[in-house]
Amino acid sequence: MADLQDELQATAEAGELDARSTARRKRKPKPGSRSTAAESMARTDGRAEAPVHAPADGTLGTPEPDGESPEALAQAHAFLAGYPVADGYSGLPWVLRHLSWYDLELGEGAVDTDVPRMRKGHIGALFWSLHLPDGMTGDRAVGATLEQLDLVRMVAHAHPEGLRLVYSAGEITDARNCGRVGILLGPAGASAIGDSLGILRALHQLGLQALTVADVSWAGEKGLTRFGEEVVREMNRVGVLADVSGAAEPTLRRTLEVSRAPVLCTRSAAHALRPHPANLPDDLLAELGAAHGLCMVPLTAEQTGPSIRDVADHLDHVRSIAGPECVGLSGTYDSGAAHPQDLNDASCYPHLVAELMRRGWSETDLALLTWGNVQRVLRMADFTARAAQDRRVASTAKIEELDG
């Protein structure tokens, strides 16, 4: 654990140097363009100062929900300035793949997520999904995932004032303190690894942070096969998080049993409140909490309901069953899903936080919800990988050897 803490401290120091060098080479804005966020300095308590933004274009903003006071919204903004949102899922890569031109830093009307709206919504980190359309399998899935991964890297490098690829909890904080949104690669679909542990390791070397363990021969309706269990162990060894949103119940339960690192549900709400197939019943929420996993509640009308209050009800329920350390947020923007009223794009998180404050959520629980729980999961996955690499060599198991 000491080694991990040393690494995180070293990363923060690198961020301070980057902030100073960025300030020296800051470019003069072009006439008529929106200004980028001012570089922010790290507080002594590890939180990030809020970047200073130019006024948002009216087309990118969202009106205040009925009954929400300006004071409550201002309080939510002030809170999120110190504890920004680590968002568990964005479908943006697949959308960008089909746009001939876009500029995420100035604002892009063809998508739900761009840099101005992420700043207005206080998003500090975001998982960019590498999921593919249904039915894409085999070599096509592997190749398409590599193309998705390459696209995300190109987008991040093309928007250096707003986005930064990150690979650890420390790098997320570093990016935030430098005024950037940290971009994490994943989750990818299980078909992306082509039933090969070597491809899994290669994808991790390219930056993959999470893999959805579902809808393949080794992770299906009957649970994990022997090869599936070996995939989860190898994910633990290299530091790839297991995402079980949408997985069959036997697969979810067995993944919780096999994995030594925390397990994610990147798009799951409470089945007791809304019986959607991807939502979790209370017994699974309790098991996920006991295993120190993370249920990231999606902001989609289909899974949570049509209003902010419906989303808040799910967050209340997951917190009460799994615990405050095991609930997070998943915007699920740019995924083709309809969103609750007043949560229609990435700028809307302050409205949700204001509703949770109205319900009496403590600052501690809110800080875990928006930022702390994702940080914890990433740190635990990193620590688990370091420990596993001391005990276990890279697996060369083949699916035909284990599953026949």
Side-chain angles (χ1 to χ4, degrees):
M1 181 65 78
D3 292 342
L4 178 57
Q5 295 301 324
D6 291 344
E7 179 188 275
L8 295 176
Q9 292 171 6
T11 306
E13 292 170 2
E16 293 168 6
L17 293 174
D18 181 68
R20 290 195 289 269
S21 63
T22 302
R24 287 196 296 270
R25 65 174 186 270
K26 186 175 181 181
R27 296 177 298 178
K28 184 177 180 180
K30 295 179 181 179
S33 67
R34 295 190 188 125
S35 62
T36 58
E39 299 300 325
S40 57
M41 299 300 292
R43 294 180 179 174
T44 56
D45 62 0
R47 295 185 292 168
E49 290 283 0
V52 179
H53 315 307
D57 189 314
T59 61
L60 298 180
T62 301
E64 296 177 14
D66 293 340
E68 181 183 87
S69 70
E71 293 79 10
L73 189 59
Q75 187 179 5
H77 277 287
F79 171 82
L80 288 169
Y83 299 102
V85 173
D87 188 322
Y89 192 93
S90 171
L92 189 60
W94 190 257
V95 176
L96 294 181
R97 184 170 178 165
H98 296 88
L99 294 180
S100 58
W101 186 91
Y102 49 85
D103 190 327
L104 298 182
E105 283 187 356
L106 292 181
E108 180 54 61
V111 298
D112 298 330
T113 308
D114 54 30
V115 173
R117 279 180 281 189
M118 284 191 282
R119 286 175 174 156
K120 185 176 180 181
H122 299 279
I123 294 177
L126 183 61
F127 282 86
W128 280 25
S129 165
L130 304 177
H131 281 161
L132 304 171
D134 292 341
M136 193 174 291
T137 59
D139 291 344
R140 287 185 62 214
V142 176
T145 300
L146 288 171
E147 290 175 354
Q148 288 281 87
L149 194 152
D150 180 61
L151 172 67
V152 174
R153 297 177 72 92
M154 288 194 299
V155 170
H157 290 308
H159 300 81
E161 298 298 323
L163 307 176
R164 179 184 293 180
L165 287 170
V166 293
Y167 307 99
S168 68
E171 290 185 12
I172 289 176
T173 301
D174 182 34
R176 176 63 182 175
N177 289 342
C178 293
R180 275 76 165 180
V181 178
I183 301 302
L184 295 131
L185 293 166
S191 59
I193 70 169
D195 298 337
S196 167
L197 298 178
I199 294 177
L200 169 65
R201 289 188 289 271
L203 288 173
H204 176 255
Q205 288 294 318
L206 293 172
L208 182 67
Q209 298 290 305
L211 184 77
T212 301
V213 182
D215 300 324
V216 286
S217 63
W218 46 267
E221 293 298 322
K222 296 182 179 180
L224 294 177
T225 65
R226 290 178 61 200
F227 181 74
E229 293 177 358
E230 191 69 4
V231 170
V232 172
R233 294 188 189 100
E234 191 65 10
M235 290 168 67
N236 286 175
R237 194 190 71 83
V238 299
V240 174
L241 290 162
D243 169 32
V244 290
S245 279
E249 186 173 319
T251 293
L252 196 158
R253 292 185 187 278
R254 187 57 182 155
T255 302
L256 287 174
E257 293 170 357
V258 173
S259 180
R260 295 294 177 263
V263 171
L264 293 177
C265 290
T266 58
R267 291 157 296 145
S268 295
H271 192 274
L273 301 185
R274 201 168 185 89
H276 186 278
N279 290 348
L280 299 181
D282 287 356
D283 59 334
L284 282 178
L285 284 173
E287 288 186 33
L288 185 69
H292 308 292
L294 181 57
C295 179
M296 309 187 83
V297 174
L299 310 187
T300 63
E302 182 181 7
Q303 285 185 250
T304 57
S307 72
I308 282 183
R309 291 180 177 85
D310 292 323
V311 176
D313 287 343
H314 281 268
L315 292 169
D316 282 339
H317 189 86
V318 173
R319 180 181 64 155
S320 68
I321 301 298
E325 298 85 3
C326 298
V327 58
L329 296 169
S330 182
T332 324
Y333 293 115
D334 295 297
S335 63
H339 298 281
Q341 185 179 8
D342 303 316
L343 292 175
N344 52 317
D345 64 39
S347 70
C348 298
Y349 277 111
H351 300 298
L352 178 58
V353 170
E355 171 64 19
L356 296 176
M357 287 178 166
R358 187 187 68 79
R359 294 179 178 221
W361 279 53
S362 68
E363 181 174 304
T364 299
D365 284 2
L366 280 172
L368 290 172
L369 171 74
T370 62
W371 188 250
N373 287 336
V374 169
Q375 290 274 306
R376 172 187 63 81
V377 165
L378 289 171
R379 286 174 176 164
M380 289 182 69
D382 187 36
F383 182 78
T384 301
R386 288 169 178 262
Q389 288 164 17
D390 289 338
R391 302 190 308 267
R392 173 184 167 96
V393 298
S395 175
T396 58
K398 307 290 185 183
I399 189 170
E400 55 270 18
E401 296 171 355
L402 296 182
D403 293 350

